[in-house]
Amino acid sequence: MPRSERSPLLLAGLLAASGVAHFAVPRQFDAVVPRTLPGKPRTWTYASGAAELTLAAGVALPRTRKPAALAAAAFFVGVFPANVKMAVDWRNRPAPQKAIAFGRLPLQIPLVLWARGIAKNTEGQA
């Protein structure tokens, strides 16, 4: 399978794995939900997991790939505040944990670009 055909499936797999993790171990995700959001953190955790699973399905299917990939890019931007909160909350943790928390921040950029690239490469395909 050519690289360009694998890319959407890899992104779908990443989204699906993260979505499943939101349901399998929700407590770790509850902790990074910004407290300024209304409602309970667990509600946001489950909503985020469901969104990731939905995006994974959309990116995996050629018919819905372009809009789902664009939505995934927006999703990656939308969850950035949670990653910032995690970095702030973990700033006094041991160096390896702090590195993970702060290292996640710049990783959002390639995720957004990856999703946008999939959407762009899907143009004209049905």
Side-chain angles (χ1 to χ4, degrees):
M1 180 181 288
R3 183 179 194 184
S4 63
E5 290 178 28
R6 278 194 322 259
S7 184
L9 299 178
L10 292 171
L11 180 59
L14 174 76
L15 287 162
S18 182
V20 168
H22 279 72
F23 291 96
V25 286
R27 189 180 305 160
Q28 74 180 31
F29 295 97
D30 293 347
V32 299
V33 173
R35 299 293 170 226
T36 56
L37 292 174
K40 296 179 180 180
R42 183 62 51 94
T43 302
W44 288 100
T45 294
Y46 287 156
S48 178
E52 286 180 304
L53 291 171
T54 301
L55 290 168
V59 170
L61 298 171
R63 272 183 91 173
T64 56
R65 183 166 293 153
K66 182 177 179 180
L70 291 172
F75 179 83
F76 293 138
V77 171
V79 299
F80 188 74
N83 292 340
V84 170
K85 182 183 183 308
M86 180 181 176
V88 170
D89 290 349
W90 287 26
R91 70 186 177 277
N92 295 319
R93 291 211 178 173
Q97 291 178 336
K98 189 178 356 180
I100 290 168
F102 281 92
R104 289 180 59 178
L105 298 177
L107 288 177
Q108 293 299 114
I109 295 168
L111 288 173
V112 170
L113 295 175
W114 185 14
R116 286 186 57 206
I118 288 169
K120 183 178 180 183
N121 289 337
T122 303
E123 289 181 20
Q125 298 177 12

